[in-house]
Amino acid sequence: MQTEKKECCCCSHKTKERTEKEYKDLLNRLSRIEGQVRGIRKMVETDCYCTDILVQVSAVNAALNSFNKVLLANHIRTCVAEDIREGKDETIDELVTVLQKLMR
């Protein structure tokens, strides 16, 4: 677990403490995705062929989908399961809303 408490700058009210392994895994995935996006930018800047860029964009989309799957699975196993055990049924509505957004 992280040693210092970090404020969430992008969410309205909830935070989540993650294990050190989960934290590192998520950040490593995001770092790889950032690298891929920088690579795509360089491809555009150096006038690479369109289909080569499209293939790389597809790879980034797949990496983001994989990130979402890992994060969603962790969320269900921890936050959702704990809230259901505590009788917080509104968490189910929240999960349904998130799944609907993800499936657009």
Side-chain angles (χ1 to χ4, degrees):
M1 288 172 234
Q2 296 76 39
T3 53
E4 71 180 57
K5 184 73 173 167
K6 298 176 184 157
E7 286 189 31
C8 188
C9 61
C10 57
C11 57
S12 58
H13 58 289
K14 295 182 181 181
T15 60
K16 158 97 163 78
E17 285 208 24
R18 294 176 174 82
T19 65
E20 191 67 29
K21 181 182 179 331
E22 181 184 2
Y23 177 77
K24 285 182 179 181
D25 178 54
L26 291 173
L27 288 183
N28 286 339
R29 286 173 179 271
L30 288 173
S31 292
R32 285 193 302 272
I33 292 166
E34 284 178 325
Q36 288 176 295
V37 171
R38 282 191 302 275
I40 292 169
R41 180 185 180 106
K42 186 168 179 103
M43 290 176 81
V44 171
E45 291 171 346
T46 57
D47 297 324
C48 286
Y49 193 59
C50 299
T51 57
D52 295 334
I53 296 170
L54 289 168
V55 167
Q56 291 306 310
V57 170
S58 178
V60 169
N61 283 331
L64 284 169
N65 284 335
S66 179
F67 178 87
N68 271 350
K69 288 176 190 175
V70 168
L71 188 59
L72 180 61
N74 288 341
H75 177 62
I76 292 169
R77 287 187 190 107
T78 58
C79 303
V80 174
E82 184 178 318
D83 282 359
I84 289 171
R85 282 192 288 274
E86 292 175 4
K88 298 178 183 174
D89 291 335
E90 65 273 10
T91 299
I92 295 170
D93 295 332
E94 178 186 69
L95 179 60
V96 169
T97 300
V98 167
L99 289 172
Q100 290 170 338
K101 288 178 181 179
L102 291 174
M103 292 180 172
R104 288 185 187 164

